[in-house]
Amino acid sequence: LPIINGPSEGLVLGAALSFSSAFWGVEFWHKTTGWDALAKLMPSVSSVEYLFHIIKEDVSVIRNCDLLVMVALLLALREAIEKLYSVSRRFGLRTIVNTAPLIILCLGMCGVYFVAPFLLQRYPRTSLHVMGGMFVDMVVSLITDELTHMQFNWFRSFVLGLGVVLILALAPSCSDDFLERVWCGYNVLIWTYLGIKARIVIHEMCCILHIWCFDIVTPYSADTVCDPEKKKKH
């Protein structure tokens, strides 16, 4: 990787956010110092403020945390468009299909926000875990299929859970409490599945490579580890 790359940029940004909170305090992100400084440089910001007020009616000003999210979204959009263009130009439009799970995930989470915004407001960490778990499943499946020369299946069954949440949110008979329990249970289901999947994949890799996952010193016996009958005898 080059000196400036995605992982290092993420670490630097995360460290900068932590240092900012430690130096100026958490309340810094709820102030409007960043937007006030930009407003002095821009001739008119009324249209942007009005658009932001439509998106989030309970906030009439743009805070530093809101400004950070807006900048991050613009940078992510620019990066996604650039990568999609370069990859499709080099390998063809068929590679765009591999990004279908990510696009569906983003659209599904946007749908949850507009239909049931209280889920993200009351359970921000749970919502982040739901999106992170689905993203991990997509990336792991893509990398595993690429390494094993298998055909990547762009359809992920977890996406159906977002559809169920959207249907329940639109149902007039569904209460908010029930929808919150479904959202939390959906998070537990995703990470339970990922834990079992990781355990199986690691076990299969150890059997194929004749190694232990975290130990390269202890002798590995594939016959006793991978064969249940021989393992019972020992």
Side-chain angles (χ1 to χ4, degrees), residues 3-222:
I3 297 177
I4 300 178
N5 54 72
S8 64
E9 289 176 357
L11 292 175
V12 171
L13 179 59
L17 295 178
S18 299
F19 281 122
S20 300
S21 300
F23 187 77
W24 287 299
V26 182
E27 62 275 5
F28 166 77
W29 301 108
H30 298 276
K31 297 180 180 179
T32 61
T33 53
W35 186 251
D36 294 338
L38 290 176
K40 296 178 181 179
L41 301 176
M42 300 171 61
S44 176
V45 295
S46 58
S47 58
V48 180
E49 291 179 345
Y50 177 72
L51 177 62
F52 191 80
H53 181 70
I54 294 177
I55 297 176
K56 196 171 184 180
E57 296 180 354
D58 57 335
V59 177
S60 58
V61 294
I62 300 180
R63 303 166 297 178
N64 291 335
C65 58
D66 302 323
L67 186 62
L68 179 65
V69 173
M70 295 168 64
V71 173
L73 288 176
L74 291 176
L75 293 177
L77 182 61
R78 185 204 65 83
E79 185 72 15
I81 295 175
E82 180 182 356
K83 294 299 181 183
L84 287 176
Y85 174 76
S86 60
V87 171
S88 60
R89 186 177 181 182
R90 182 177 180 182
F91 300 101
L93 294 177
R94 60 182 179 83
T95 56
I96 304 299
V97 179
N98 296 338
T99 63
L102 181 60
I103 297 175
I104 296 175
L105 172 60
C106 295
L107 294 178
M109 292 300 296
C110 291
V112 172
Y113 174 77
F114 286 108
V115 175
F118 64 91
L119 290 178
L120 279 71
Q121 296 171 356
R122 299 178 187 176
Y123 302 95
R125 292 180 178 86
T126 301
S127 303
L128 181 63
H129 293 161
V130 169
M131 190 170 184
M134 298 178 66
F135 181 77
V136 168
D137 176 60
M138 296 173 187
V139 174
V140 170
S141 300
L142 179 60
I143 296 177
T144 304
D145 293 340
E146 180 68 22
L147 294 176
T148 55
H149 301 285
M150 296 178 62
Q151 184 67 28
F152 174 67
N153 183 14
W154 63 269
F155 177 75
R156 314 309 303 167
S157 56
F158 280 151
V159 180
L160 297 177
L162 288 178
V164 173
V165 172
L166 291 175
I167 294 175
L168 292 176
L170 294 174
S173 59
C174 181
S175 62
D176 293 348
D177 294 336
F178 178 75
L179 194 59
E180 291 174 358
R181 291 195 294 267
V182 171
W183 191 242
C184 295
Y186 185 40
N187 178 43
V188 174
L189 177 64
I190 291 176
W191 285 101
T192 302
Y193 167 79
L194 289 177
I196 297 174
K197 182 179 180 179
R199 176 67 180 85
I200 295 175
V201 171
I202 292 175
H203 175 74
E204 292 178 347
M205 292 176 62
C206 291
C207 290
I208 295 174
L209 301 177
H210 292 184
I211 59 173
W212 294 107
C213 183
F214 300 106
D215 188 359
I216 61 175
V217 179
T218 305
Y220 182 88
S221 177

